[in-house]
Amino acid sequence: RGELQRSVVSAINFEILEMARLLDFTRQEIYEIAVAGNSTMRDLLFKLDVQGIGQRPYKSLVELEYLAGERSSTSLVQIARRLGLRANLKTRVYGLPLIASHVGADTAAALVALDMDSRSEDAVVVVDVGTNTEVVVGKGERLVAASCPAGPAFEGGGAVKFGMPGYEGAIESFRLDSGGREFAYSTIGDTDPQGICGSGLIDLLAELRRSDRLTAKGVFTEDKKLFEIDIVPEAGITLSKEDISNLAQAKAANYCGQYIVMRKLGVDPEDVSRLYLAGGFANYVHVGNAIDIGFLAPVPEDRIVKVGNTALQGAREVLLNRRRRAQLEELVKGIEHVELETTADFFEVFVDGCQLKPMPRRFATQASAFEPA
């Protein structure tokens, strides 16, 4: 009910007024609003206590009430003015349902946008990349989901010295010359480089591995005691062993989520018919490089589709179609949620995922996944 909730409401109200101005209507003409967000953001907007989402059992108050049989769904409905949103006095705000724990309403919206409620014998994977990466795998009648606490290392959250968000001046792609020594790069806005955003960091790690300047364990091959190397000397941009370690751990969280959820459903990467890569950051990722360092499962590249902001598209669909809304309410109830850290061999999978190498293409035996690099 404090500053965070007011900030969210203020941002939405600003966008409502801006949209009304651009499309020539008044805010009083809005009669319904649909909201898709992660578990914490959605509940913040609805003035709920979110402390429980950050500590065991990592569940929203709404989810706990649903599991206790006190409500029929994890969706929320409230009058807009009670939340502080400026619309018609009777406007209803519909919060899309949560799936489980940190797998929130934004992931539920993605399932609507991608028609994941249409059962298929083909294996389909959704990877929504972010500070928390969500993974959903569907095959036949089953859908299995997990949340991967990847952290902000690839999003400019401070874990990498010269890491930055995808703003103007961020290096978004790297390529080593034929000699494997000099980097060619491009920046957002074609301006002087200020740092490196997530897509650039993935390219950088892949290029260093490809040129044998970096081992799978993140050690510089030219000198094992070397702490950092110059990446863009003219701008003073470097990459250190600490940067690589932080990126490797963030990457390992993505690795674990995809590996464990696919394995639970008995799906091998090479058998996936479609991998949907969602999220704003994902739009700029070089898929081949992401596969080479184990950031993405080694699904054949022609089966990987970048789908952008699926949360927005899914929210739009349930706003305009009550049948789709009802279908989503039922769909999320049948999704199996995997708590990654409770998996018996989670630590072994995570350690393997920390290495800058591709994920196995087949999961025939667990041992095959953990051969020495």
Side-chain angles (χ1 to χ4, degrees):
R1 296 173 184 271
E3 183 179 354
L4 290 176
Q5 198 272 345
R6 292 194 298 271
S7 296
V8 175
V9 167
S10 177
I12 295 172
N13 283 336
F14 175 83
E15 297 296 341
I16 287 174
L17 291 173
E18 188 68 8
M19 183 170 63
R21 183 185 64 80
L22 289 172
L23 301 180
D24 192 26
F25 68 89
T26 66
R27 58 184 174 85
Q28 286 79 13
E29 293 175 85
I30 298 172
Y31 65 90
E32 193 152 27
I33 296 171
V35 174
N38 64 47
S39 303
T40 303
M41 291 298 292
R42 190 205 70 163
D43 283 10
L44 269 175
L45 175 63
F46 281 83
K47 297 185 176 182
L48 299 178
D49 185 349
V50 297
Q51 184 173 346
I53 303 175
Q55 59 192 34
R56 285 194 178 277
Y58 307 113
K59 294 187 182 298
S60 161
L61 288 174
V62 176
E63 185 184 355
L64 291 173
E65 290 173 1
Y66 168 73
L67 293 173
E70 297 170 9
R71 54 167 57 238
S72 60
S73 168
T74 55
S75 63
L76 290 168
V77 178
Q78 185 55 274
I79 302 299
R81 60 185 174 84
R82 292 179 183 170
L83 303 180
L85 296 176
R86 296 177 181 174
N88 190 288
L89 288 176
K90 296 184 179 180
T91 297
R92 297 196 326 158
V93 183
Y94 173 72
L96 276 70
L98 310 178
I99 294 174
S101 190
H102 288 281
V103 188
D106 49 349
T107 305
L111 300 183
V112 174
L114 298 171
D115 290 322
M116 291 285 282
D117 52 347
S118 301
R119 299 292 194 252
S120 170
E121 287 305 313
D122 291 335
V124 179
V125 178
V126 180
V127 180
D128 191 347
V129 178
T131 303
N132 256 16
T133 292
E134 286 79 38
V135 178
V136 183
V137 181
K139 189 175 190 298
E141 294 297 312
R142 293 179 69 191
L143 282 170
V144 182
S147 177
C148 324
F154 285 95
E155 298 182 306
V160 177
K161 184 176 180 181
F162 287 97
M164 65 179 289
Y167 300 154
E168 189 169 294
I171 298 174
E172 59 180 342
S173 67
F174 275 106
R175 182 173 51 81
L176 272 171
D177 63 16
S178 56
R181 309 307 301 177
E182 298 292 327
F183 285 102
Y185 58 84
S186 62
T187 63
I188 297 174
D190 293 321
T191 62
D192 292 338
Q194 306 296 319
I196 312 171
C197 65
S199 58
L201 289 167
I202 289 173
D203 286 356
L204 180 57
L205 293 175
E207 288 288 282
L208 289 170
R209 286 285 294 125
R210 196 173 292 124
S211 61
D212 291 324
R213 293 180 62 184
L214 191 68
T215 70
K217 293 184 178 179
V219 177
F220 296 118
T221 55
E222 54 199 279
D223 182 352
K224 292 183 179 180
K225 295 181 180 179
L226 192 63
F227 178 72
E228 69 178 15
I229 59 173
D230 290 325
I231 301 299
V232 187
E234 64 271 24
I237 295 174
T238 62
L239 182 74
S240 71
K241 288 174 69 173
E242 183 180 2
D243 294 336
I244 295 168
S245 175
N246 289 333
L247 290 169
Q249 291 178 64
K251 190 274 296 186
N254 287 306
Y255 181 106
C256 284
Q258 295 169 70
Y259 183 99
I260 291 172
V261 175
M262 283 191 290
R263 187 181 67 182
K264 182 175 179 64
L265 206 50
V267 172
D268 292 320
E270 62 183 32
D271 296 329
V272 171
S273 65
R274 195 63 92 223
L275 187 152
Y276 294 109
L277 192 55
F281 160 43
N283 273 335
Y284 305 97
V285 169
H286 185 291
V287 168
N289 287 340
I291 290 172
D292 285 347
I293 66 169
F295 188 91
L296 279 180
V299 173
E301 289 186 41
D302 61 348
R303 303 179 196 171
I304 298 177
V305 183
K306 296 177 181 178
V307 289
N309 193 340
T310 50
L312 180 63
Q313 177 62 27
R316 180 187 295 118
E317 290 190 29
V318 300
L319 176 69
L320 300 175
N321 190 320
R322 291 186 181 279
R323 181 179 59 83
R324 294 288 277 163
R325 190 179 302 188
Q327 288 174 335
L328 176 61
E329 298 268 358
E330 288 305 309
L331 178 69
V332 298
K333 294 175 182 178
I335 298 175
E336 302 169 48
H337 177 242
V338 178
E339 293 183 0
L340 299 179
E341 67 277 13
T342 64
T343 304
D345 61 345
F346 170 77
F347 182 72
E348 288 86 350
V349 178
F350 183 84
V351 169
D352 196 65
C354 283
Q355 297 194 53
L356 302 173
K357 64 177 186 178
M359 186 186 298
R361 293 186 178 276
R362 298 199 72 85
F363 304 150
T365 62
Q366 284 189 207
S368 67
F370 306 122
E371 294 171 356

